[in-house]
Each structure stands twice: as C-alpha cells, then as structure tokens.
Amino acid sequence: SQQGEEDPQALSIQEGENATMNCSYKTSINNLQWYRQNSGRGLVHLILIRSNEREKHSGRLRVTLDTSKKSSSLLITASRAADTASYFCATGLNQAGTALIFGKGTTLSVSS
Amino acid sequence: GAVVSQHPSWVICKSGTSVKIECRSLDFQATTMFWYRQFPKQSLMLMATSNEGSKATYEQGVEKDKFLINHASLTLSTLTVTSAHPEDSSFYICSARRSGRVTGELFFGEGSRLTVL
C-alpha cells in the first residue's frame, strides 16, 4: 500500500531555478526519506529526516518535515540538468524492521 | 558505501516459464531485504519482506506461490516469478538494510526488468 502523495506529479523548470516538491503521508512515522530515481534505474538515497527534526540540509537539498500536518517538502536549489529524475518520498514506520512505503513521486525535468 | 547488486538487469521469457532474480548485498550483511515492483511511471509497491533464515512476509494481494522468495544467507535474497505471464511484466527492485539497523536508509539494487511474451 502507498503511504501518501507527492505534488506536483510533474515539474519542469530551467537550470538555475529552484525546485520544490511536497509529500504528504498518513500514519505516524519514525523518519521520512527522499530518494531519487533516474529512468529505468534503481533508487538513490538523498536524505533522511527523523520525526523529531523539522529541517535538514545536504548540499543543494533542503528538507522540511511537519509532523502535525503529516507533510514534508524537498527543495533543490540552483537546479541542474543532471537533476532531471523522479523523486520519491518514503516513510519509515515506528515498527522495527519494516520496509519503506513510497509516495507516488514527482518527475522533475530541468532544461538547460 | 553500501552496494546492492541485482541480477539479471533485464530478462525476456516466454509465458509459462519461471524466472529467478538475485539480490546481493556486496559489502554488508542484510538480515532483511525488501522486494518492490514498479509499473511504468508509477511508484514502488512493496511486494514482500525477505528475512534471512525464515519465511518471507508478503503484502496483501501478492501471491506467495507466484512470487517465491528465498533469503538463504545474509547477503543473498532471490525472487522467483513462477509460471510467468505477460501481466507479470514489470520492473522488480530489491533493497536491503544493514543488519542491526532497524530503521533508516535502504540501499537499492539497479532493478530487473522482466518482459514476459
């Protein structure tokens, strides 16, 4: 089963612009993670934010988490053509050893 | 970094045959591995949780006799699609978490694209 929704489903921007993707989820979580997937490839972990954190940065990535609204956002600053990919949020539940549940994803296209 | 290798990366088979996909953690031990399925332009759907030395836990709606999972060692899990049919054509992705880590980051294989003719 899927945990939630990302929006937008698709986003097209120019190089240098910022890209913001949002994710909502339904249940209580231990952490929320963002992954990137290039077409036809596996997933690459980008960043993890724990349920007791509100904001986290990693390079050009900024993630926020609002547990009261059950939502998260991923901001990619100064985007590059190489950032073109699908981005998924995934939630880790409070139960040990459980899998991640993925959202529907946002497809980002960055034009040069 | 942790590397998960998945093989084969793509396979084409005839309807009725069985296909085995291997998932290996190359530089870490993984007590638990997860198998996902992804249809074109869609998200990953969890199929089952593979536990080393015990039976896999399947998600609702996933036929365990259709998708056989074996996790014989701390570095290898296999998914066998039995008597494959065209509707089984999909992108199958495995992932693993380091042993001892109960939550947190998953490491993904590159996926296996199955096409059933």
Side-chain angles (χ1 to χ4, degrees):
Chain A
S1 61
Q2 286 184 287
Q3 173 69 291
E5 305 270 338
E6 274 105 324
D7 80 271
Q9 290 189 337
L11 180 62
S12 294
I13 59 175
Q14 297 288 318
E15 265 192 327
E17 294 180 338
N18 295 342
T20 300
M21 291 161 263
N22 303 296
C23 164
S24 62
Y25 58 92
K26 299 174 183 173
T27 64
S28 296
I29 61 172
N30 175 280
N31 61 76
L32 186 142
Q33 304 176 37
W34 284 89
Y35 286 81
R36 166 196 169 124
Q37 183 183 34
N38 285 4
S39 181
R41 304 292 297 275
L43 277 74
V44 175
H45 179 262
L46 296 176
I47 195 166
L48 179 153
I49 186 166
R50 301 191 188 286
S51 59
N52 61 353
E53 298 177 308
R54 292 296 167 260
E55 186 172 313
K56 202 163 184 178
H57 297 255
S58 176
R60 293 185 295 114
L61 304 179
R62 173 178 169 257
V63 169
T64 63
L65 179 64
D66 186 334
T67 53
S68 66
K69 295 181 179 178
K70 291 187 167 60
S71 66
S72 173
S73 68
L74 171 68
L75 168 67
I76 303 174
T77 60
S79 62
R80 306 165 182 167
D83 294 329
T84 296
S86 292
Y87 292 83
F88 296 92
C89 71
T91 48
L93 303 183
N94 279 321
Q95 185 174 349
T98 56
L100 296 179
I101 305 301
F102 285 82
K104 293 184 178 180
T106 293
T107 299
L108 174 66
S109 297
V110 182
S111 304
S112 55
Chain B
V3 177
V4 175
S5 172
Q6 198 171 332
H7 176 81
S9 55
W10 59 269
V11 58
I12 301 172
C13 70
K14 292 182 179 179
S15 188
T17 60
S18 294
V19 174
K20 180 185 284 187
I21 301 169
E22 292 187 348
C23 179
R24 293 180 185 273
S25 55
L26 297 186
D27 53 357
F28 66 99
Q29 293 185 331
T31 308
T32 305
M33 292 184 175
F34 305 98
W35 287 94
Y36 291 86
R37 182 174 181 175
Q38 186 179 33
F39 290 105
K41 299 188 186 303
Q42 294 191 25
S43 187
L44 282 75
M45 299 298 293
L46 178 65
M47 298 175 66
T49 300
S50 171
N51 303 297
E52 187 267 335
S54 64
K55 291 183 179 179
T57 304
Y58 290 82
E59 294 298 299
Q60 192 172 9
V62 178
E63 300 176 58
K64 61 181 180 182
D65 295 330
K66 173 77 168 173
F67 299 100
L68 299 179
I69 292 174
N70 184 276
H71 194 152
S73 77
L74 286 171
T75 59
L76 173 65
S77 175
T78 60
L79 167 68
T80 301
V81 183
T82 62
S83 187
H85 291 283
E87 57 266 30
D88 298 324
S89 298
S90 190
F91 192 54
Y92 294 89
I93 309 177
C94 72
S95 64
R97 182 176 284 133
R98 292 181 186 272
S99 291
R101 302 277 182 93
V102 295
T103 58
E105 179 182 354
L106 288 182
F107 301 97
F108 283 83
E110 283 293 300
S112 299
R113 185 165 302 284
L114 171 63
T115 301
V116 185
L117 303 177

